[in-house]
Amino acid sequence: MKRRAANPFPGVSPAPDRHGKMRWRFRKKGVPQTYLPGEYGSIEFRKAYEAALQGSRAAAMPSRHQYGTFDWLIEHYKRSPKWKKLRPISQYNLGKDFDRFSKVYGKRRVATLRTEHVEAIIGKKADTPSAANHLLKLLRRLCRFAMRKKLIAVDPTLDVERYAENSDGFHTWTEDEIIQFEAHHGKASKAVLALRLILNSGAARQDVVKLGRQSVRHGRIAYRRGKTGGDVDLPIIEELEEVLALVPGDRMLFLTHTGDRPYKPTTFGNWFHDQCVDAGLPHCASHGLRKAGATRLGNAGASELEIMTFLGHSTPDEARTYVKKFNRKRLSDTGMEKVSRAKREQDLSNPVEKLDIHRRKALKEKGN
């Protein structure tokens, strides 16, 4: 009698559905029952089986997309611990980036991606270097995850160079632009309230829309940054106190939409940019005010840690930029002052030599 072959996948059994389609069910004590995707014994099936053995139901969930495509990769990235560790605002923004990329390249296989393909993809946005670099960053994120999933052995984005762009990023508001904005809208306007809130609290747009009376205590304004989770706790200076005093006492949030409804971050950003355009400053945006606030601190001689606290960052790396700018300005001032002082001393010494009779006589005799 011929002996029956052992099941190569213990715990897996056939489970046809009511339409007769064959499905493969995995059951093991202590692990939730699940169905494995793909053909029996396929690579996708085996990967899901290994994940199910480890008790990871999320990794064993049937995929809605074809194995090895960018759609499949993005779907599994959103199941990964790396995705789950992101803050909601980061998940939202990255999700939008994934959606845009998926519409064009979602059905393509990751394994066929080459360096020249990456260059061509980001080259379509070459007119906007920051957008091209942002897309390259997204591709690198996906390719590194694809290597972990064993879809590719080498990252095709490694040798792709970034486009040259403005290293300062968003335009930093100047003091003249701040004065122009306030003069146009008036101190009692919501636009100036928004400007001074961001300028004096370092709040990003997703943070400033949440600031209100609950954020103020004992003459200080405090909040937690939505992007980094860093805590910000700052004294309310006179410039900010002046406009906060104009907010109606029965309103909890400082900045509200029509009908006292709270702003969404994107809606607020669009509204504020419209205020900049109205004031003749179309190149300005809310994020540039955070940089202007940090610049003020740097010009006042604040340390890296003080600027880091204002921006709500966990490291002083970006704050160091503002300190360096201040130091360069200070060193250039002191250097040029030395030149000016030396020139003044030289100009003062020349008349003395001209008035020195004995020196003039000696020079005359030497000439003869």
Side-chain angles (χ1 to χ4, degrees):
M1 182 177 176
K2 190 174 181 179
R3 190 173 181 179
R4 186 178 177 182
N7 183 2
F9 304 105
V12 176
S13 59
D17 62 18
R18 61 190 180 90
H19 301 292
K21 182 179 179 180
M22 182 57 69
R23 303 174 69 193
W24 301 98
R25 180 172 55 200
F26 174 79
R27 289 184 293 185
K28 182 182 178 183
K29 188 176 181 180
V31 178
Q33 174 181 296
T34 188
Y35 290 89
L36 305 180
E39 296 282 339
Y40 184 83
S42 66
I43 295 177
E44 184 179 13
F45 175 92
R46 291 172 180 271
K47 286 182 178 295
Y49 177 72
E50 291 298 325
L53 283 176
Q54 299 172 12
S56 176
R57 178 175 175 79
M61 287 173 57
S63 176
R64 297 186 296 108
H65 303 287
Q66 185 178 359
Y67 174 78
T69 62
F70 278 104
D71 279 340
W72 182 93
L73 186 66
I74 290 171
E75 179 186 19
H76 283 74
Y77 186 91
K78 290 183 177 179
R79 297 177 184 177
S80 68
K82 193 175 184 67
W83 171 267
K84 293 175 182 177
K85 289 179 182 178
L86 295 175
R87 297 189 173 274
I89 185 65
S90 298
Q91 287 184 349
Y92 175 81
N93 292 332
L94 184 56
K96 290 291 186 182
D97 291 337
F98 282 152
D99 290 343
R100 285 189 289 268
F101 182 82
S102 185
K103 284 181 181 179
V104 183
Y105 304 103
K107 305 301 180 185
R108 300 190 183 184
R109 301 189 67 81
V110 182
T112 63
L113 188 68
R114 300 288 182 268
T115 298
E116 57 269 26
H117 300 152
V118 177
E119 292 174 339
I121 290 171
I122 68 171
K124 293 179 180 179
K125 296 185 177 292
D127 292 340
T128 310
S130 59
N133 292 335
H134 185 76
L135 181 55
L136 176 59
K137 183 179 179 181
L138 182 75
L139 277 167
R140 281 184 174 152
R141 182 190 293 265
L142 287 174
C143 287
R144 286 168 186 168
F145 186 68
M147 292 177 70
R148 290 177 54 193
K149 287 293 183 181
K150 309 299 183 184
L151 294 180
I152 55 176
V154 180
D155 182 357
T157 70
L158 281 178
D159 295 328
V160 179
E161 295 183 359
R162 289 169 52 87
Y163 281 84
E165 58 178 299
N166 180 7
S167 59
D168 290 336
F170 284 93
H171 168 71
T172 304
W173 290 56
T174 66
E175 292 297 330
D176 287 341
E177 288 168 343
I178 293 170
I179 293 171
Q180 179 178 331
F181 185 93
E182 294 198 351
H184 176 82
H185 290 288
K187 185 178 66 176
S189 66
K190 182 170 70 173
V192 172
L193 170 62
L195 177 139
R196 292 195 184 183
L197 264 174
I198 299 173
L199 186 63
N200 294 292
S201 70
R205 63 183 185 179
Q206 66 262 34
D207 303 317
V208 75
V209 296
K210 298 177 182 178
L211 294 180
R213 300 193 183 279
Q214 77 284 355
S215 311
V216 177
R217 180 173 295 181
H218 305 308
R220 303 181 68 84
I221 188 165
Y223 65 94
R224 173 167 288 184
R225 281 211 67 201
K227 183 177 181 180
T228 63
D231 290 320
V232 179
D233 188 344
L234 302 166
I236 298 176
I237 64 174
E238 293 179 3
E239 181 181 72
L240 179 56
E241 185 178 16
E242 184 180 25
V243 292
L244 290 182
L246 302 176
V247 178
D250 60 347
R251 200 167 77 198
M252 180 61 72
L253 293 175
F254 293 140
L255 296 169
T256 56
H257 212 330
T258 308
D260 283 348
R261 291 177 295 134
Y263 272 108
K264 292 181 179 179
T266 304
T267 306
F268 170 79
N270 293 335
W271 168 81
F272 189 79
H273 186 257
D274 289 341
Q275 310 311 304
C276 295
V277 173
D278 289 344
L281 302 167
H283 56 290
C284 293
S286 59
H287 187 78
L289 284 172
R290 270 172 49 83
K291 299 175 70 175
T295 299
R296 279 184 172 183
L297 287 169
N299 291 340
S303 68
E304 293 174 5
L305 293 178
E306 288 170 329
I307 299 175
M308 179 192 77
T309 302
F310 171 79
L311 293 172
H313 290 163
S314 56
T315 64
D317 293 342
E318 188 167 341
R320 194 170 293 124
T321 301
Y322 299 98
V323 175
K324 285 181 178 178
K325 285 183 177 179
F326 168 72
N327 286 337
R328 283 199 297 268
K329 182 179 178 181
R330 179 176 57 82
L331 290 172
S332 64
D333 288 347
T334 56
M336 294 308 295
E337 174 58 28
K338 290 177 180 177
V339 173
S340 179
R341 186 167 60 247
K343 186 70 168 62
R344 288 197 301 269
E345 291 174 353
Q346 183 180 6
D347 291 342
L348 288 173
S349 66
N350 288 339
V352 174
E353 291 181 357
K354 291 177 182 178
L355 292 173
D356 189 340
I357 298 175
H358 299 288
R359 178 175 175 79
R360 290 172 60 191
K361 184 178 180 180
L363 290 172
K364 186 176 180 180
E365 291 176 351
K366 185 177 180 180
N368 291 338

